[in-house]
Amino acid sequence: MTLIQELESRLAAAFESVLGERVAAPVVAAADLRFGDYQSNAAMALAKQRKTNPRALAEQVIAALDLAGIGSADIAGPGFINFKIAPETYAARAKAQHADPRLGVPVTGAGRTVVVDFSAPNVAKPMHVGHIRSTILGDSLARIARCLGYTVITDNHIGDWGTQFGMITWAWKNGLNEQALLENPLQELLRLYRHASESAKADEAVREACRMELVKLQQGDAENFEIWQRCIELSRTGLDRIYDRLDVSFDHWLGESAYNDSLAPLVDRLVAEGLARESEGAICIFSNGVPEDPAKDPFLIKKDGEWTDFPMMIRKSDGAFNYATTDIATLEFRRREWKVDAAWYVVDHRQSLHFQQLFAVAERIGLGDMDLRHIAFGTILGTDGKPLKTRSGDLPQLADVLDEAVAAAATAVAERSRVDTEEERAALAELIGISAVKFTELAHHRLSDYVFDLDKMLALQGDTAPYLQYSVVRCRSIFRKLEEAVDLSAVTPVLSEDAEIHLARFLARYGEVVPTILDDHRPNLLANYLLELARANHSFNEACPVLKAEVAVRDSRLLLCDLTSRVLTHGLALLGIGCPEKM
Ligand code: ARG
């Protein structure tokens, strides 16, 4: 049990003895440590319901409260109950956490299967920084869910079937550079795409030729199909290179094209069931009047002060199927084949209407019991506060962004690091550069925009990955200086200094923080926790000598150091970030 759970159960028992009935009494970590470690406003909420005096109720509850073996409680203001945890409690918690391979993280997802749909770049257009947010967030959420005991399936639903292939095929036939394709497939495919799209803009005949290539592909033309297949394979190679660098992997790569054959029968079925109908030659899904409030109905939109239809199109008038059609087929497949209870879509906030419609359709086709989430995110900004762009005004390529971060990390490593060989320095720069990009992403609220500022991301003193990694390296270095082996499993810590108690307090919170991340899919809660833990560790290092202390104190502190480095390492791993041996 976490401390919060323990306090909640004791508090609920006290309320029950006062009120004569079982009530929920939520406890939260105190925001301001001057008032205590944890607090509850349950007395205020319950007194309000019962129209009694909150402070009087809180007093009765405290009198009935049994906190033996935990700490003490008092009342503040109109009826807040503040809890102070005894140092011995923290010491016992630290010992138990040290012995626990899960470091106190409870299992909350057992028996549940979730598919995490993330990254999903569009093939033959390279991944740009917009995809970086999805990739990093999605990977971290998958790791966290797995750690909490969910069965997690990761699926890279790449955009591998669409109008871009008409253009690529045309350009492929009119000037492919085979050598470039082998060396840097994503780059060459991008060049082809740009060449076609510029030519098509300038020349009606090219536009028509591109369209014809697409029609041929969709009708199963052998040559075009082969070109398409090579594009997919080569993109896959290029993408794998990036995912390797990011240490991201997928259980499946079922892109849009995987569902081609299910689209026509799906549309026919939806029409036959009366869920979709023809409109101006296209097939669409319309509002069914549920929900009653038009503002909450994703199939309605306000135009000139009037609510008008905003249908979801599932077949265009020329017979082609849409992104939406594929997403319905994909969801049905995931449910049928993988038996998932939940699907999390980590996709740009600009697609929010699409997902609202998709989820409403899910209700109508009998998938209403699924936990469907659009995990949206904002934009990455340049230092000028505008969406990040290259000097030529294009969206920057993900690979270039990573290279830039690694180059900046290499400069920092050359200036400050203690590693010896050139090879080690290069590996360290790669690790630090990528970690810095990941941590910046994960430390922000996913819905807010953030500025891509390499100096800030790499600062050893800031709220950064290198700061956390350095904290781990420092914890570990104490053990290298230790002259004898110490069996930490035999140590019961004794906490007397404030800095020790403060560190133990944050260590105990780890198991409370991790499950809350999935309440609203916000890894920034973990990132911020790790920063707080590292700061507590920093103060501990300043105030409490370890190796020079007498043996009992030394061993107690060694246990805190070891536990801190394990929690930091574990937490960083949940963010997809590794730690170096030396820095
Ligand atoms: N390929 C899409 C894009 O880049 C994202 C796909 C997200 N997943 C999904 N099931 N719709 O915008």
Side-chain angles (χ1 to χ4, degrees):
M1 256 208 267
T2 63
L3 269 173
I4 287 192
Q5 288 167 331
E6 183 82 46
L7 290 171
E8 284 179 341
S9 106
R10 305 253 190 142
L11 187 59
F15 269 108
E16 188 171 4
S17 76
V18 172
L19 298 171
E21 61 177 311
R22 194 98 198 127
V23 290
V27 171
V28 296
D32 187 337
L33 294 173
R34 281 173 305 176
F35 302 119
D37 300 87
Y38 292 91
Q39 65 172 217
S40 174
N41 60 11
M44 282 140 75
L46 290 163
K48 195 167 174 199
Q49 279 171 17
R50 287 171 173 70
K51 304 197 168 49
T52 59
N53 179 318
R55 202 167 161 108
L57 176 60
E59 268 157 19
Q60 282 176 292
V61 167
I62 289 219
L65 187 61
D66 170 16
L67 287 180
I70 299 189
S72 58
D74 58 22
I75 306 173
F80 287 107
I81 299 177
N82 291 327
F83 299 93
K84 198 138 196 68
I85 305 299
E88 301 74 47
T89 305
Y90 279 134
R93 291 256 153 190
K95 186 176 169 72
Q97 193 179 13
H98 190 265
D100 177 5
R102 298 184 56 80
L103 295 169
V105 177
V107 173
T108 54
R112 296 188 55 76
T113 303
V114 54
V115 57
V116 189
D117 179 319
F118 69 101
S119 196
N122 298 319
V123 168
K125 299 183 183 173
M127 245 210 270
H128 58 71
V129 286
H131 291 114
I132 199 174
R133 298 204 68 168
S134 172
T135 307
I136 295 172
L137 270 166
D139 176 58
S140 172
L141 289 170
R143 288 169 191 264
I144 290 161
R146 235 172 234 140
C147 165
L148 288 167
Y150 290 78
T151 301
V152 175
I153 299 173
T154 51
D155 186 10
N156 196 4
H157 188 68
I158 52 174
D160 60 359
W161 195 254
T163 48
Q164 76 260 39
F165 287 102
M167 302 209 247
I168 303 259
T169 310
W170 176 84
W172 184 290
K173 291 179 179 174
N174 292 280
L176 169 71
N177 178 342
E178 276 284 353
Q179 193 53 35
L181 194 66
L182 291 178
E183 274 160 21
N184 192 339
L186 293 187
Q187 223 39 52
E188 174 61 5
L189 289 173
L190 176 68
R191 191 190 64 81
L192 292 178
Y193 174 77
R194 286 201 178 131
H195 171 56
S197 101
E198 275 155 27
S199 312
K201 251 184 228 140
D203 185 345
E204 167 70 40
V206 175
R207 200 152 54 234
E208 185 53 24
C210 290
R211 217 181 57 76
M212 285 317 295
E213 297 294 0
L214 182 66
V215 171
K216 276 169 76 183
L217 171 67
Q218 295 186 338
Q219 287 171 349
D221 175 87
E223 187 191 1
N224 284 18
F225 187 75
E226 212 185 290
I227 293 175
W228 174 78
Q229 249 179 341
R230 272 203 73 198
C231 283
I232 303 296
E233 273 161 28
L234 287 164
S235 298
R236 176 76 200 250
T237 314
L239 289 173
D240 276 336
R241 247 180 245 167
I242 293 182
Y243 292 133
D244 274 351
R245 277 183 93 176
L246 289 170
D247 189 21
V248 168
S249 64
F250 299 91
D251 300 315
H252 300 278
W253 284 66
L254 291 177
E256 293 173 11
S257 70
Y259 301 93
N260 283 348
D261 294 341
S262 19
L263 303 184
L266 170 67
V267 172
D268 291 345
R269 199 187 84 220
L270 293 177
V271 172
E273 287 171 358
L275 294 171
R277 63 182 151 85
E278 203 246 86
S279 166
E280 295 168 34
I283 304 287
C284 300
I285 300 176
F286 286 87
S287 169
N288 63 358
V290 182
E292 267 170 46
D293 180 359
K296 294 202 175 105
D297 189 329
F299 301 94
L300 295 177
I301 196 167
K302 206 168 204 170
K303 242 195 219 148
D304 307 325
E306 297 270 328
W307 288 104
T308 46
D309 282 322
F310 183 72
M312 180 186 226
M313 197 192 288
I314 57 173
R315 194 170 79 200
K316 291 196 230 167
S317 53
D318 66 5
F321 301 104
N322 304 51
Y323 182 56
T325 332
T326 310
D327 253 335
I328 301 173
T330 306
L331 183 58
E332 288 194 328
F333 171 88
R334 289 169 172 172
R335 171 53 155 231
R336 191 178 63 242
E337 299 298 320
W338 297 338
K339 313 266 182 295
V340 297
D341 309 293
W344 299 344
Y345 298 86
V346 189
V347 186
D348 195 310
H349 72 98
R350 281 169 300 186
Q351 294 192 27
S352 95
L353 256 180
H354 165 72
F355 285 106
Q356 286 173 37
Q357 292 190 327
L358 178 66
F359 300 167
V361 170
E363 295 260 344
R364 298 188 203 171
I365 59 176
L367 300 179
D369 61 326
M370 289 184 73
D371 174 26
L372 302 174
R373 299 293 168 101
H374 175 203
I375 300 170
F377 50 83
T379 309
I380 303 184
L381 307 174
T383 34
D384 58 0
K386 303 208 182 94
L388 191 61
K389 292 238 165 73
T390 62
R391 235 168 269 144
S392 62
D394 293 323
L395 287 178
Q397 305 298 305
L398 175 51
D400 296 342
V401 170
L402 296 180
D403 286 343
E404 211 188 312
V406 170
T411 311
V413 165
E415 279 166 12
R416 311 191 284 238
S417 106
R418 304 223 177 102
V419 300
D420 317 313
T421 69
E422 200 49 48
E423 214 182 333
E424 280 177 302
R425 274 196 286 277
L428 186 59
E430 174 80 12
L431 175 64
I432 292 180
I434 304 255
S435 305
V437 171
K438 285 189 175 186
F439 189 78
T440 306
E441 169 63 47
L442 296 168
H444 287 89
H445 189 297
R446 60 182 164 81
L447 286 169
S448 56
D449 299 343
Y450 68 84
V451 175
F452 192 89
D453 181 341
L454 282 171
D455 286 340
K456 272 203 191 137
M457 289 159 64
L458 289 164
L460 209 45
Q461 251 65 344
D463 292 349
T464 63
Y467 172 62
L468 293 173
Q469 289 166 323
Y470 188 63
S471 303
V472 174
V473 168
R474 265 195 79 177
C475 286
R476 307 297 335 155
S477 74
I478 293 177
F479 289 87
R480 276 198 289 276
K481 290 185 206 134
L482 191 65
E483 273 152 16
E484 62 204 296
V486 179
D487 175 13
L488 292 177
S489 69
V491 173
T492 299
V494 178
L495 310 174
S496 50
E497 298 292 324
D498 283 348
E500 290 174 311
I501 297 169
H502 190 59
L503 179 59
R505 170 188 291 132
F506 274 96
L507 287 168
R509 286 190 185 179
Y510 187 54
E512 295 166 353
V513 170
V514 177
T516 62
I517 301 166
L518 295 188
D519 292 348
D520 191 31
H521 304 91
R522 282 177 47 191
N524 66 314
L525 297 176
L526 175 58
N528 292 327
Y529 163 81
L530 293 174
L531 289 169
E532 280 186 293
L533 178 63
R535 281 184 217 116
N537 179 58
H538 184 79
S539 316
F540 164 76
N541 282 329
E542 303 273 279
C544 304
V546 179
L547 297 175
K548 291 202 183 89
E550 55 98 2
V551 173
V553 176
R554 180 199 70 182
D555 289 356
S556 166
R557 290 179 180 170
L558 280 174
L559 184 135
L560 291 181
C561 290
D562 189 48
L563 185 54
T564 302
S565 84
R566 279 171 59 205
V567 170
L568 286 172
T569 308
H570 191 268
L572 282 169
L574 291 180
L575 300 178
I577 295 173
C579 282
E581 279 290 315
K582 287 195 260 171
M583 259 174 106

